[in-house]
């Protein structure tokens, strides 16, 4: 099976390129409500609205179905990353604090309750790596889209383009895929 990651700027055509896939063999899991190119199309589409939905997607496609889809598209990895962070801050951290304080409070002391702490970032890294590994081991072709992240090396001036996920994961996640493509606009000299 092919595992592909397609990243690029917003509006570049990542979602539109999905329309080249066979309708009867493709399931599209979208996390962005504004996926305009997919409106009124015949694809089987599911909406990812939370981290639990992302995890459920893995459970739903873990076992191959003879008449099921052969291609899974997740649009987008960037949004799945945001859902993972939101779940950690809004659900997991509160449960952990309650456990550590014998249900006396659910907000961490000394940090803003909507920001990630070091322990949260470690959990994020572990969960996102687990998610990527699980998606890339599904018994079907897998295509993920993501926004691009640009970082400039101040010493050399080189710009590095990577999928827009947090931390080192931006540079590590391409290792999960057979093919990593970056979409961008180019202008040819006439």
């Amino acid at each position: 099976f092919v595992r592909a990651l397609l990243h690029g700027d917003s509006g570049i055509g990542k979602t539109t390129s999905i329309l080249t896939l066979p309708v009867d063999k493709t399931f599209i899991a979208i996390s962005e409500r504004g996926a305009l190119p997919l409106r009124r199309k015949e694809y089987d589409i599911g909406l990812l609205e939370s981290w639990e939905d992302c995890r459920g997607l893995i459970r739903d496609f873990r076992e191959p179905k003879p008449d099921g889809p052969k291609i899974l598209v997740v649009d987008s990895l960037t949004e799945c990353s945001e859902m993972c962070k939101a779940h950690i801050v809004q659900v997991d951290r509160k449960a952990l604090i309650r456990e550590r304080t014998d249900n006396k409070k659910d907000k961490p002391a000394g940090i803003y309750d909507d920001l990630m702490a070091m322990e949260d970032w470690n959990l994020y890294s572990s969960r996102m790596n687990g998610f990527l590994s699980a998606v890339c081991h599904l018994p079907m072709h897998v295509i993920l889209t993501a926004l691009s992240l640009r970082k400039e090396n101040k010493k050399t001036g080189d710009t590095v383009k990577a999928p827009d996920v947090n931390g080192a994961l931006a540079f590590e996640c391409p290792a999960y895929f057979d093919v990593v493509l970056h979409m961008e606009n180019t202008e040819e000299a006439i």
Side-chain angles (χ1 to χ4, degrees):
F1 297 110
V2 174
R3 280 75 173 91
L5 174 63
L6 175 62
H7 66 97
D9 293 335
S10 180
I12 199 76
K14 298 177 301 293
T15 303
T16 301
S17 68
I18 294 169
L19 299 176
T20 63
L21 298 171
V23 172
D24 60 331
K25 295 180 174 145
T26 305
F27 180 85
I28 304 171
I30 58 171
S31 57
E32 300 172 353
R33 292 181 183 270
L36 292 174
L38 300 175
R39 288 193 182 172
R40 295 187 210 44
K41 302 299 178 194
E42 301 289 324
Y43 289 96
D44 191 7
I45 296 174
L47 185 60
L48 301 175
E49 296 181 296
S50 69
W51 179 244
E52 285 304 318
D53 291 344
C54 295
R55 294 175 66 189
L57 183 70
I58 304 299
R59 287 189 297 272
D60 292 345
F61 290 100
R62 190 176 304 163
E63 298 296 324
K65 297 173 183 88
D67 58 340
K70 307 296 180 220
I71 304 167
L72 171 64
V73 177
V74 178
D75 187 26
S76 83
L77 178 60
T78 303
E79 287 299 318
C80 291
S81 169
E82 293 300 315
M83 288 180 217
C84 179
K85 291 188 308 187
H87 192 272
I88 289 168
V89 170
Q90 298 167 1
V91 178
D92 297 322
R93 181 194 294 160
K94 289 181 180 184
L96 184 62
I97 298 294
R98 279 193 298 273
E99 180 182 309
R100 289 178 179 169
T101 62
D102 293 326
N103 286 323
K104 291 181 182 156
K105 62 184 199 173
D106 65 1
K107 290 189 178 181
I111 62 170
Y112 294 105
D113 60 352
D114 61 340
L115 297 178
M116 303 260 291
M118 184 59 73
E119 187 176 35
D120 300 327
W121 285 113
N122 290 336
L123 183 56
Y124 166 81
S125 178
S126 176
R127 285 203 177 150
M128 286 303 295
N129 276 298
F131 175 74
L132 285 167
S133 178
V135 165
C136 289
H137 282 90
L138 292 174
M140 58 193 350
H141 301 293
V142 176
I143 302 168
L144 277 75
T145 66
L147 290 174
S148 282
L149 169 73
R150 288 183 170 77
K151 285 197 172 191
E152 183 178 342
N153 181 330
K154 301 209 186 242
K155 292 180 183 177
T156 65
D158 292 337
T159 300
V160 177
K161 298 172 188 164
D164 188 4
V165 291
N166 292 95
L169 186 63
F171 303 103
E172 296 167 357
C173 79
Y176 287 99
F177 299 91
D178 302 317
V179 179
V180 178
L181 303 168
H182 177 261
M183 286 182 86
E184 63 182 43
N185 280 332
T186 58
E187 293 183 25
E188 293 184 28
I190 298 177

